[in-house]
Amino acid sequence: MVEEEMAEQATTFSAAEAAVYDRQMRLWGVEAQKRLQNSRVLVSGLTALGSELVKNLVLAGMGVTLHDSQAVTTTAVATQFFLSEEDVGNNRAEASLPRVQELNPLVQVSSEIKPLDELPDEFFKQFTVVCLVGAELATELRLDALCRSLGTAFYSARSFGFDGIVFADLGEHTFRRNAVGADAAPSDPVTVTFPTLEEAQKVQWSSLQSARKRAPQLPQVFVKNQLLQGFKSLKDVKEVTDNHEVDFIQYAREQFQANGLDEDYLSPDELQTLLRVAEADLVPICAIVAGIMGQENWVEGTEDVTVDTFR
């Protein structure tokens, strides 16, 4: 029966599409695959993490616009699999485009090289999802607010050393829960409202800490990200280095106190280590973060999602 339904529904796809997306359609259905293919995603920041994300989205059948205003460096070639040594000096988005398109000729891939701050609001209206990788905090705040007003899903992500973090603002999002079991049945649709990035920035860190040992605790990666982003914004710098060590440690202690944490929540050694890896892209970590981020994009693309709950 399932095979017959798949065969009948697959007629809405070309033979090439049916062959490429067969396994995906069996997982989340034909209608969900259609919605994925009708999605248009902006990925800004063709770093190691951004490249991994693009790969995941394109292979799933989502159209992508590659955005990056930076030139290819030898370091980028070592961590970004869409680039080669011949691309050094060229724009990262334009250099990546041909190899991205090769991954899936069935999707539309384009590039944009102007800095985000030079792109008008009108530019972002064409996208159903906007993903920023490694962007400055001010840019993230501006585009999250814009995406919220447009009803566009917004994601931002970055990695630093062995840590990575993803922020998602889907506005109002509806999903269903399935209980796993013989008598399981889908629940009624559940709608949740995501906080904006501006709201998330104002959260008192200690409020995320539970007194119960077995309860979810304040993730250190969240604190580390807040410190790095806040310090860069305060000092108006794009990167942090060992030269910022004294100021960064002092800033961290002030932030710990202001957010209700112990002054030594992270030790000086831990803060020094954070500085050393702040701009480091470890490819395995980027692959994990991009996998999570890509999965979230698939969820957004398929809209009414069923979430399995094990009891």
Side-chain angles (χ1 to χ4, degrees), residues 19 48 62-63 159 189 205 224 247 289 306:
M62 303 179 80
S159 67
W205 301 352
K224 291 176 180 178
D247 289 344
V289 177
T306 298

Side-chain angles (χ1 to χ4, degrees), residues 144 148 153-157 166-171 194-197 296:
D144 178 46
R148 176 60 76 100
F154 174 86
Y155 296 88
S156 64
V166 177
F167 172 82
D169 179 3
L170 307 185
F194 282 68
T196 65
L197 182 58
E296 291 297 317

Side-chain angles (χ1 to χ4, degrees), residues 38-194:
N38 290 332
S39 299
R40 188 69 193 170
V41 185
L42 172 68
V43 177
S44 175
L46 273 296
T47 61
L49 198 165
S51 300
E52 290 279 357
L53 174 61
V54 167
K55 175 201 68 178
N56 295 338
L57 300 180
V58 168
L59 290 177
M62 303 179 80
V64 176
T65 293
L66 313 176
H67 172 268
D68 204 308
S69 59
Q70 303 298 311
V72 177
T73 63
T74 53
T75 300
V77 171
T79 59
Q80 209 261 51
F81 44 71
F82 292 130
L83 302 175
S84 65
E85 292 183 357
E86 290 75 18
D87 296 318
V88 173
N90 297 327
N91 176 269
R92 287 199 296 199
E94 292 181 333
S96 299
L97 193 150
R99 296 180 184 90
V100 173
Q101 189 68 78
E102 286 178 9
L103 281 180
N104 189 349
L106 299 176
V107 302
Q108 181 182 354
V109 182
S110 60
S111 63
E112 175 57 60
I113 66 174
K114 289 183 179 178
L116 286 173
D117 292 341
E118 295 182 13
L119 294 170
D121 292 354
E122 191 71 23
F123 170 79
F124 299 94
K125 292 182 179 180
Q126 63 184 295
F127 302 107
T128 51
V129 183
V130 170
C131 302
L132 305 187
V133 178
E136 296 179 7
L137 178 59
T139 300
E140 291 179 336
L141 288 167
R142 179 178 73 85
L143 290 184
D144 178 46
L146 174 62
C147 288
R148 176 60 76 100
S149 70
L150 297 174
T152 300
F154 174 86
Y155 296 88
S156 64
R158 61 180 36 81
S159 67
F160 35 91
F162 289 100
D163 292 311
I165 192 167
V166 177
F167 172 82
D169 179 3
L170 307 185
E172 285 196 353
H173 189 70
T174 300
F175 64 95
R176 292 173 294 170
R177 295 186 185 276
N178 263 2
V180 176
D183 299 325
S187 70
D188 292 331
V190 178
T191 299
V192 295
T193 301
F194 282 68

